[in-house]
């Protein structure tokens, strides 16, 4: 029911109706467009641009991921209505990232051009939420360079909360609330008023939701992505043989 390849019904069944787009970033970026597949029923697939080759498909935190050069690599998803989530309704932007921390403005996901859309980026390794050209709040602490980190931000109205590896990384207020629902969406790039900036590093498990996910949700998501959500062990009674232990487990 819930196990299947991306774009199949079982895979789509995993995601609730609030997921606007889920990108495992596990496809060859040099393949046939659209290369980057949306795992939700919305089918908001993305097309890669720049000098991307099959060598940019690298090991991620979960399965494969995409490496971006910070020069011209990005994913264009187009003007999908379902991705036009706004701060008036509530939004959650999540991504597993591996950043060397070389760029001042590493854009993870954005839905803006000239109007007020959401912009999720790193500012010298600190998570930041912007609304189009207006600077927005940042997380309390920067993340470490060159390690896998699960980053997330939630926003509803003027309230904004950042998460890093499932733990709260600051709350803040955003005055320029994202309100646009008809702008193009892209990953790893921002083009505002003709000024382009790109993400450098690796992106994996990007998830965009039209709802505010809870702190418990973010904590459990971090454990799940890291394959630490559940553990098990079996203890053999003293003097047990290996055969008896196997029987006990199965």
């Amino acid at each position: 029911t819930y196990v299947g390849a991306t774009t199949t019904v079982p895979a789509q069944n995993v995601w609730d109706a609030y997921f606007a787009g889920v990108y495992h970033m596990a496809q060859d970026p040099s393949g046939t467009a659209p290369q980057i597949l949306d795992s939700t029923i919305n089918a908001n697939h993305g097309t890669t641009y720049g000098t991307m080759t099959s060598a940019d498909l690298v090991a991620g935190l979960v399965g494969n991921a995409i490496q971006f050069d910070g020069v011209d690599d990005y994913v264009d998803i187009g003007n999908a209505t379902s991705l036009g989530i706004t701060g008036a309704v509530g939004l959650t932007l999540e991504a597993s990232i591996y950043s060397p921390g070389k760029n001042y403005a590493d854009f993870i996901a954005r839905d803006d051009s000239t109007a007020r859309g959401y912009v999720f980026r790193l500012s010298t390794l600190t998570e930041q939420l912007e609304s189009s050209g207006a600077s927005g709040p940042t997380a309390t602490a920067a993340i470490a360079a060159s390690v896998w980190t699960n980053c997330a931000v939630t926003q509803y109205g003027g309230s904004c909360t950042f998460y890093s590896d499932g733990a709260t990384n600051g709350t803040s207020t955003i005055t320029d609330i994202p309100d646009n629902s008809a702008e193009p969406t892209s990953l790893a790039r921002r083009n505002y008023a003709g000024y382009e900036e790109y993400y450098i590093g690796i992106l994996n498990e990007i998830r965009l939701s039209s709802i505010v996910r809870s702190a418990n949700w973010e904590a459990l998501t971090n454990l799940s992505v890291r394959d630490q959500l559940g553990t098990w062990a079996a203890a053999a009674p003293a003097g047990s043989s290996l055969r008896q232990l196997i029987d006990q487990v199965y």
Side-chain angles (χ1 to χ4, degrees), residues 48-75:
T48 60
Y49 288 87
T51 53
M52 304 202 76
T53 69
S54 58
D56 291 317
L57 184 65
V58 298
L61 186 59
V62 179
N64 288 326
I66 302 293
Q67 180 167 278
F68 296 87
D69 63 8
V71 177
D72 59 3
D73 293 349
Y74 72 99
V75 178

Side-chain angles (χ1 to χ4, degrees), residues 112-224:
D112 83 313
S113 179
T114 56
R116 290 210 309 266
Y118 56 80
V119 179
F120 187 32
R121 73 167 190 167
L122 297 182
S123 177
T124 58
L125 287 176
T126 302
E127 300 163 85
Q128 183 170 5
L129 178 68
E130 291 185 358
S131 178
S132 199
S135 295
T138 59
T140 300
I143 64 172
S146 301
V147 297
W148 279 107
T149 304
N150 291 315
C151 294
V153 60
T154 64
Q155 186 249 319
Y156 176 71
S159 299
C160 177
T161 303
F162 293 94
Y163 297 89
S164 177
D165 285 339
T168 302
N169 191 11
T171 59
S172 189
T173 299
I174 184 169
T175 56
D176 197 22
I177 300 171
D179 65 2
N180 181 63
S181 59
E183 289 293 323
T185 303
S186 63
L187 309 176
R189 172 193 186 239
R190 183 193 193 189
N191 178 13
Y192 180 75
Y195 184 61
E196 298 184 357
E197 296 172 289
Y198 299 87
Y199 177 87
I200 182 170
I202 307 173
L203 293 177
N204 194 195
E205 290 303 307
I206 297 178
R207 308 177 187 188
L208 313 175
S209 299
S210 59
I211 193 174
V212 174
R213 304 294 186 182
S214 69
N216 283 342
W217 176 285
E218 294 305 332
L220 291 172
T221 296
N222 176 63
L223 293 175
S224 176

Side-chain angles (χ1 to χ4, degrees), residues 12-26:
Q12 294 169 347
N13 287 340
V14 172
W15 315 107
D16 66 34
Y18 294 106
F19 278 108
V22 172
Y23 302 92
H24 303 309
M25 310 298 282

